[in-house]
Amino acid sequence: MSFPSLLAVFAHPDDESLVAGGVLAQHAAAGARTGVVTATWASDSHRAAELGEALRILGAGRLRMLGYADARVPDSAPGRPRLLDVPLDEVVGRLVGHLRDFRPDVVVTHDAYGQLTGHPDHVHTHRATLLAVHAAGLEHHYPEAGRPWQPRALYLATHPHSGVGDLGPLLSGVGKPVRSVPDDHVTAAVDVRPWLERKWAAVLAHRSEVERTRSLPGILSRLPVATRRRITATEYFTRLDTRPGGPGRRLARLDA
């Protein structure tokens, strides 16, 4: 079975490994093209170097960084605005450029909550990516960004209520919110155990985050191996179709 090409768009270095590392490794192992666009942190920062190592482990190619500042770490991109302060049209246009350059079949990004903890950069990246995926296929939107390309599907990385498990109390214990979705919102639950060692190695590549006590890499690194594996063994997604229907799907009225 062939795997589609996949481009992930996430807010911070380490998001790619934590919420889609298994899927990225799975697709790369199957010979599919994979890549990651990261919205924040400068390309010459220590976290960019860690991200580069994580991408190498996952087989996800070169750095693709927008280089904006993290909402909570102003010195993450000295002299650059925070992602949240940049005009949305600018961010969307840059993402359209990456989509048209990479030409993926599938795009993966944060869900509308911005994952469990609702980080504002995650939420903003979700919004910008949703707009960019639709705009990338329209020739009169951002014509300077290259030839139109319409990905077949957009997958939102998420957590169902039933899939939070041990992670909920761990996040609540360090003062972080827990935002999950109803189980029927999940359209793909991917068992990534065959690629779990590679996924965990990619997480560990983000050394500065592993050293922090409240970060998810830091929290996971202090758990018993069996508990950590249980938490990280499944990746959940909600699929959004992005391609317009052909004549055979034309309806005489709006329908659900």
Side-chain angles (χ1 to χ4, degrees), residues 55-236:
L55 297 183
R56 184 194 65 76
I57 292 168
L58 296 173
R62 63 177 175 85
L63 289 173
R64 294 174 173 86
M65 303 184 75
L66 302 187
Y68 298 117
D70 185 313
R72 296 171 178 167
V73 190
D75 63 357
S76 56
R80 296 295 309 281
R82 299 189 314 161
L83 173 66
L84 297 182
D85 298 331
V86 178
L88 182 60
D89 188 60
E90 176 185 320
V91 181
V92 172
R94 294 186 65 190
L95 290 177
V96 167
H98 282 287
L99 291 168
R100 290 178 178 170
D101 175 64
F102 192 90
R103 306 178 85 75
D105 298 313
V106 168
V107 176
V108 175
T109 192
H110 304 282
D111 69 4
Y113 284 145
Q115 251 64 67
L116 287 171
T117 61
H119 192 295
D121 286 339
H122 292 187
V123 174
H124 200 62
T125 299
H126 160 82
R127 293 169 180 162
T129 305
L130 192 64
L131 292 171
V133 166
H134 288 288
L138 298 171
E139 59 184 327
H140 298 301
H141 273 316
Y142 310 98
E144 72 285 354
R147 292 183 298 115
W149 175 259
Q150 186 61 69
R152 291 205 303 265
L154 172 65
Y155 282 89
L156 309 180
T158 193
H159 274 83
H161 297 330
S162 65
V164 173
D166 299 303
L167 199 51
L170 291 168
L171 292 172
S172 298
V174 294
K176 293 180 182 261
V178 178
R179 298 185 173 110
S180 55
V181 301
D183 284 30
D184 61 6
H185 284 213
V186 172
T187 52
V190 184
D191 179 354
V192 299
R193 284 176 294 178
W195 303 278
L196 202 51
E197 295 308 316
R198 187 170 297 182
K199 172 179 177 173
W200 183 240
V203 173
L204 291 178
H206 295 282
R207 292 175 292 279
S208 60
E209 289 299 289
V210 173
E211 293 169 359
R212 296 178 58 226
T213 57
R214 295 184 71 251
S215 73
L216 188 51
I219 291 170
L220 292 173
S221 70
R222 295 188 297 274
L223 294 177
V225 172
T227 304
R228 186 184 72 233
R229 290 180 63 88
R230 185 166 61 247
I231 290 172
T232 57
T234 306
E235 294 174 355
Y236 301 98

